[in-house]
Amino acid sequence: LVLSRALVIGIGKFHDARIPDCLVPVAAEARAMGELLEGLGYVVTVMHDAAEDEALVPEGDQIRAMLSKLSAPSRRSSRRRSSLQALQEKLGRLSIRHGSRSSSTSDGAGNPAPCSPPLVVVLGRGATTGSGAEGGAFIAPTDTFLDDLSGTLLPLDELRGPPDAPNVVIVDALPFVRTRMVHHTAGFASVVVGNAPKPHLQVEYSTGVKGLALHYLCRALRGHSHHAGSINLDTLCEYLAMKLTSRGLAPRTLP
């Protein structure tokens, strides 16, 4: 039995009082996303700022520790690494497969079935430090400190995972605080495969628009863009791009 792994991170409160807490009920949103993914067969870890277990509070070090744990292959999945790598190299056909409760562990040719790349979903505050949505995108852990942004922010690149075991990362970042380091504060949404040179989908939110990607992601996971027990990333990004465009945004997708 091979189940897909997922890490859901909800960051709505911050130790630094100068960073406003999110008005969106982030902890509840993270738990709801976790339940949705569990219903699809994922083995899910949910981190949020209301967690009683300190290891599940989304501070920078705890997030990095969970990402490291997520990327560590089990004995069973390590035997399928060559198949997984071959699958991930074909990004145009890479799918996030729902965890199957079937007893089958091979494909039709009798080869070991590759396990899905880990899925990381993040809802919190974030922005970019450069020009446009691709310029130094980051999320802000709950222990982000405005006087030490370079030491406390979590760059999007760190969510990607190691090159030989990349994650699929979906981020919905609410607006951040304008500082000398951060000029583009509107927030962004992104769908990234760890070893891809560019995001599959990237959009910078316009003023007054926020939090749409997670809403449409939930709709997609519930059936608006999945078929035959899998979600194709290209199909998912096309669906998100269509919905975000209908809301007046200008998402960019891989050609």
Side-chain angles (χ1 to χ4, degrees):
L1 178 65
V2 180
L3 293 178
S4 302
R5 295 162 293 156
L7 174 62
V8 179
I9 305 171
I11 310 168
K13 298 182 182 296
F14 302 90
H15 300 336
D16 191 330
R18 295 170 293 179
I19 305 175
D21 291 344
C22 296
L23 297 179
V24 176
V26 173
E29 293 276 2
R31 288 192 293 264
M33 175 59 71
E35 291 173 0
L36 175 58
L37 291 172
E38 284 180 348
L40 295 174
Y42 283 87
V43 175
V44 183
T45 300
V46 179
M47 303 183 74
H48 57 79
D49 37 58
E52 296 182 2
D53 186 343
E54 290 186 4
L56 297 178
V57 175
E59 296 183 348
D61 287 345
Q62 281 94 311
I63 293 174
R64 291 182 177 92
M66 282 295 177
L67 288 168
S68 178
K69 182 179 179 180
L70 184 73
S71 298
S74 65
R75 292 180 181 177
R76 189 165 193 176
S77 64
S78 66
R79 292 197 296 268
R80 301 185 176 88
R81 178 168 296 185
S82 60
S83 297
L84 175 60
Q85 288 175 332
L87 175 65
Q88 290 164 337
E89 287 169 1
K90 301 173 182 177
L91 292 179
R93 289 179 287 173
L94 180 60
S95 294
I96 309 172
R97 296 196 177 277
H98 299 163
S100 172
R101 287 181 170 78
S102 167
S103 60
S104 174
T105 57
S106 64
D107 60 19
N111 300 315
C115 55
S116 299
L119 173 62
V120 180
V121 180
V122 183
L123 175 63
R125 287 201 182 277
T128 61
T129 56
S131 176
E134 294 178 8
F138 67 85
I139 63 168
T142 195
D143 59 343
T144 296
F145 189 50
L146 290 184
D147 294 331
D148 183 25
L149 285 179
S150 61
T152 55
L153 293 177
L154 189 64
L156 185 60
D157 283 348
E158 288 196 39
L159 300 174
R160 292 172 173 255
D164 62 336
N167 303 325
V168 173
V169 182
I170 302 176
V171 175
D172 199 341
L174 304 175
F176 193 65
V177 179
R178 183 177 295 276
T179 70
R180 287 179 297 175
M181 179 179 172
V182 181
H183 304 290
H184 302 271
T185 63
F188 68 94
S190 184
V191 179
V192 178
V193 178
N195 57 2
K198 292 184 178 181
H200 265 57
L201 178 142
Q202 191 91 6
V203 61
E204 186 170 324
Y205 286 135
S206 57
T207 303
V209 178
K210 56 188 178 182
L212 292 176
L214 192 68
H215 168 71
Y216 289 124
L217 172 63
C218 288
R219 289 180 61 177
L221 291 176
R222 289 190 179 105
H224 284 257
S225 67
H226 79 78
H227 58 90
S230 68
I231 298 174
N232 180 278
L233 281 184
D234 290 334
T235 302
L236 173 63
C237 289
E238 288 173 4
Y239 174 79
L240 292 177
M242 177 184 68
K243 291 298 184 181
L244 293 172
T245 299
S246 72
R247 300 297 292 269
L249 300 175
R252 285 171 284 176
T253 59
L254 280 180

